[in-house]
Amino acid sequence: MHRPSSTLQQPQSPSGVEVPLMAALSKEAVRRQVLAFLDEEPEDGDNLMDFGLSSIDAMQLIAAWKEVGFDVSFVELARRPTIDGMWELLRARASAGPKRLTNGS
């Protein structure tokens, strides 16, 4: 099973400068982050634990999102173990503050 070697990294511009994830966070970006931990590609409504997402993987996702301003807990994520659920949770957090999201799917 593929596992990222370290925590999730923010995208970089062509000059190598880190680009804040907040500037381009979309459902597709969340999907790509999640898929980095899985061998198979689930549908957006599938329970990711059934596809092999572990609690350690979830904590790495949470840590990456916290680095860019989303205060998400493990319990909140565990209650929404789907790409759709995670996206809705992040959108709810973004609406509470000055975050920029796109509607890309």
Side-chain angles (χ1 to χ4, degrees):
M1 186 176 304
H2 172 70
R3 295 279 183 233
S5 58
S6 62
T7 60
L8 299 174
Q9 297 180 2
Q10 292 186 16
Q12 293 190 346
S13 70
S15 64
V17 176
E18 285 188 358
V19 176
L21 189 57
M22 301 304 298
L25 187 63
S26 65
K27 189 174 181 181
E28 181 59 34
V30 171
R31 184 180 298 112
R32 283 192 309 270
Q33 287 179 312
V34 169
L35 291 178
F37 294 97
L38 306 176
D39 289 331
E40 298 178 58
E41 187 168 339
E43 297 294 320
D44 290 353
D46 288 340
N47 185 322
L48 299 171
M49 304 304 172
D50 293 341
F51 283 80
L53 189 74
S54 72
S55 58
I56 293 172
D57 300 335
M59 292 304 296
Q60 287 185 311
L61 288 167
I62 291 166
W65 294 333
K66 283 186 177 189
E67 286 179 12
V68 294
F70 289 105
D71 188 20
V72 177
S73 74
F74 179 81
V75 171
E76 291 171 315
L77 193 66
R79 288 181 180 153
R80 298 164 181 85
T82 65
I83 292 171
D84 284 337
M86 291 176 185
W87 174 238
E88 288 305 315
L89 177 61
L90 293 172
R91 283 181 47 174
R93 289 295 185 271
S95 67
K99 313 286 191 257
R100 291 177 41 200
L101 300 175
T102 64
N103 286 329
S105 334

